Amino acid sequence: MSATAVLTLLAATVLLVPLFKRLGLGSLLGYLIAGIAVGPYGLHVDSQPQAVLHTAELGVTLLMFLIGLELKPTRLWALRRQVFGLGLLQMAGVALPVAALALLAGLALPGAALVGVALAMSSTAYVLPLLAERRELTTRQGREAFAILLFQDVSVIPILALLSVVGGAGRAPGWAALAALGLLAVAGRPVLATMFRYVTRFGRGNRELFAAAALLGAVGIAVALNAVGLSASLGAFLAGVLLADSEFRHELEAAIEPFESLLLGLFFIAVGMGIPLALLAAHPLLIGGLGAGIVLLKAFSLYAVRRATGGEPAVARSLAVLLACGGEFAFVLFAAARGSLLAPETADLLTAAVALSLALAPLAVIAHDRLLLPWARSREAPPFSPIDEPGRPVVIAGFGRVGQVVGRMLNARGVPFTALDASAEQVDFVRRFGNTIYYGDASRLPLLRAAGVEAARLFVLAVDDVEASVKIAELLRRHFPEVAVLARARNRTHMMRLRELGIQQVMRETWGSSVDMGKHALQLVEPALDVEAFATVFTQHDLRLLDRQQAVYHDQAALIALSRQAGAELEDILQNDARLRLRAAQVQAQEQAPAAELD
């Protein structure tokens, strides 16, 4: 690959990938489009995408190594039902109908089975970063999606092994391969652990050297197993499994992940370069129908499987949309089966269809979030709770991690309150512990009147969502101006927006704990410092700064300039305070000196 080609490739990547992420279409689609732009059907800066793909497959190898590192026995046991239950059901629920359709289309049984399994795969490289970006990795659908993807990734190993047998004229792995696997199982972990201890001990914290050792371990085993007829991905996966419980696991993940992300991006660029646009132009309806069919069939199959196993509609719907796309391992399987189980034309058609399904996946997520999700929530959401109790002296809107603490303290003093929350799940959870809470949206005026806000002495605004919090504050100031409001602010900007509406009692949710943590930090590094006095000066300065920022916070340039100026002012205040304390101590010492001499 020429220097000009590399430069053009980097320019296309830097230009397109952030743009697609900004548009909410995901980085994966940006990589595919960048590959198309510089490939033989675009700018034609490089006419050999297979050479790029061969190098970029190292990204898939490193991905398998990281997946192996995740397979700690304890974690796998905790997820066993989702991984081996839900994962197997999802694989079968998609692979069987797809294989049946492939048989009807004229493929032989081995080829049809391969197509079914390959199209059942979803993209780990697309779904997991998307879940992390949406902060859904720890949600129900996030955990289940991870379990299904883990099952799919692990299943690639036996699939590749079977493919080497079936696609290789029935040749089973030889004695050299079996011996290599046995040697790896017995000596792999001790040898790798010894190498990493050596690097850690004599490398003196050299992170680049540790990264080189991590690459040597992952790629070395992959190359060794590939030399005896086994898959390189299998070798990398086994290397990760061997080190999953080692003390080097986290360091290995940190060292390998940047290379894996870069090479996996290059892998998708190479896939984009290899998409046969001429074939797409020749058969647009066929490939378009196949790509859309993959997304729709996988979505409907997974939704049906999850609902049949007792999943809630919202979780099943989210899983169906997230995992509806094709996966990177489909490209690997189709390339391995090309010319043996699949005719080259068929492999090209399926590759183009999977790439198109990846391009459609971000659009499906956007359509789900903006169209289907609001409609489904309006149909699935239970009706708001009727409030039939008399007005209480305190109303709490938002009964999450902040509102519950306020409520517990009021309960401890016997102060009655009415609690409201707009999350049906949160209401159900709180009610399990015997608490009285009403499901309702506090940004609706009828609900506030039903809760008796006009007769309340205090309204505690503890809603987590910033926009909902501001909307409720506007309603309170307009319709209940006499009611005192104590509001929670997520950050400084939220606090200034509430204060602009006339809400004066606003507490930043992390301010007090952050100041306490800073005091502890200073006490540990500067034991002689009077941290209480320092914290008092720091807090007073911040409150004065907040008042000044309030006046200009709509002007971003003025706000930035004021913040920079405030840092220098705080330094001057602290220095002057230190000089005054020193002078006071000197005066006190001078006043006490004659008395000491007299004694």
Side-chain angles (χ1 to χ4, degrees), residues 14-75:
V14 170
L15 176 65
L16 293 174
V17 174
L19 175 62
F20 276 77
K21 289 192 70 174
R22 177 70 176 176
L23 295 174
L25 300 175
S27 58
L28 186 147
L29 184 57
Y31 285 123
L32 289 174
I33 300 300
I36 293 173
V38 302
Y41 300 98
L43 298 176
H44 206 290
V45 298
D46 189 80
S47 59
Q48 296 180 333
Q50 290 303 318
V52 180
L53 185 62
H54 182 70
T55 302
E57 283 176 355
L58 181 58
V60 179
T61 301
L62 295 180
L63 176 63
M64 293 305 295
F65 177 73
L66 290 176
I67 291 170
L69 283 176
E70 293 291 333
L71 278 184
K72 295 177 63 178
T74 53
R75 186 173 192 181

Side-chain angles (χ1 to χ4, degrees), residues 305-472:
V305 167
R306 193 65 193 94
R307 291 290 289 136
T309 54
E312 298 175 358
V315 174
R317 190 176 58 247
S318 295
L319 279 177
V321 173
L322 286 169
L323 302 177
C325 62
E328 56 271 7
F329 288 117
F331 300 123
V332 177
L333 294 175
F334 290 149
R338 181 186 174 89
S340 56
L341 298 182
L342 297 175
E345 297 80 9
T346 303
D348 288 343
L349 279 173
L350 292 171
T351 298
V354 171
L356 182 59
S357 76
L358 284 168
L360 293 174
L363 301 178
V365 172
I366 292 174
H368 169 263
D369 290 348
R370 297 183 181 178
L371 301 176
L372 182 59
L373 188 59
W375 174 82
R377 282 179 174 171
S378 66
R379 291 180 58 88
E380 296 170 2
F384 289 150
S385 304
I387 303 177
D388 50 9
E389 63 182 10
R392 304 284 181 86
V394 179
V395 177
I396 302 177
F399 212 62
R401 56 192 176 93
V402 175
Q404 287 184 45
V405 173
V406 176
R408 287 169 56 195
M409 295 181 71
L410 292 173
N411 265 334
R413 290 293 301 166
V415 178
F417 62 87
T418 299
L420 311 171
D421 201 284
S423 169
E425 293 81 5
Q426 179 68 12
V427 169
D428 290 340
F429 175 77
V430 172
R431 284 176 177 171
R432 291 176 197 167
F433 295 88
N435 297 302
T436 300
I437 181 173
Y438 295 97
Y439 170 57
D441 184 358
S443 65
R444 298 187 178 185
L445 182 60
L447 181 70
L448 296 180
R449 295 194 187 281
V453 173
E454 66 276 1
R457 293 171 54 194
L458 175 66
F459 188 98
V460 179
L461 180 53
V463 174
D464 181 71
D465 184 81
V466 173
E467 296 305 323
S469 170
V470 172
K471 185 176 180 180
I472 295 169

Side-chain angles (χ1 to χ4, degrees), residues 195-267:
M195 179 182 69
F196 289 124
R197 289 193 187 98
Y198 170 81
V199 171
T200 303
R201 181 177 180 183
F202 296 103
R204 300 184 182 278
N206 190 318
R207 299 188 64 182
E208 292 78 11
L209 187 60
F210 192 89
L215 289 172
L216 175 63
V219 179
I221 293 178
V223 171
L225 289 191
N226 193 49
V228 295
L230 295 173
S231 165
S233 298
L234 173 62
F237 174 77
L238 293 177
V241 171
L242 290 173
L243 294 168
D245 271 331
S246 72
E247 66 269 30
F248 305 106
R249 175 179 166 238
H250 296 293
E251 289 84 355
L252 286 169
E253 287 178 337
I256 288 287
E257 194 166 8
F259 297 97
E260 177 265 336
S261 301
L262 179 63
L263 289 169
L264 204 58
L266 184 59
F267 175 82

Side-chain angles (χ1 to χ4, degrees), residues 64-128:
M64 293 305 295
F65 177 73
L66 290 176
I67 291 170
L69 283 176
E70 293 291 333
L71 278 184
K72 295 177 63 178
T74 53
R75 186 173 192 181
L76 193 60
W77 180 253
L79 292 172
R80 63 190 182 279
R81 293 183 61 186
Q82 289 89 346
V83 173
F84 298 107
L86 192 57
L88 182 60
L89 285 173
Q90 183 274 339
M91 180 74 76
V94 176
L96 290 177
V98 170
L101 291 173
L103 282 172
L104 292 175
L107 289 182
L109 180 59
L114 174 73
V115 171
V117 170
L119 294 186
M121 300 282 182
S122 300
S123 176
T124 302
Y126 164 71
V127 175
L128 290 186

Side-chain angles (χ1 to χ4, degrees), residues 497-575:
R497 291 181 66 182
L498 291 172
R499 290 179 60 175
E500 189 177 40
L501 293 170
I503 310 296
Q504 295 302 319
Q505 300 297 322
V506 184
M507 309 291 291
R508 280 175 284 173
E509 62 181 46
T510 58
W511 174 255
S513 58
S514 300
V515 170
D516 287 341
M517 194 171 183
K519 286 159 58 178
H520 283 295
L522 287 171
Q523 189 70 66
L524 290 172
V525 297
E526 295 187 41
L529 178 68
D530 185 349
V531 293
E532 295 297 337
F534 177 88
T536 299
V537 173
F538 182 84
T539 301
Q540 291 173 349
H541 174 267
D542 186 80
L543 292 175
R544 290 194 297 270
L545 173 62
L546 188 63
D547 290 334
R548 294 162 62 191
Q549 289 177 329
Q550 184 76 49
V552 298
Y553 93 96
H554 288 292
D555 185 346
Q556 187 175 16
L559 188 63
I560 292 173
L562 182 59
S563 299
R564 290 177 176 173
Q565 178 186 352
E569 290 178 356
L570 178 60
E571 185 177 351
D572 291 339
I573 291 171
L574 293 173
Q575 288 177 353

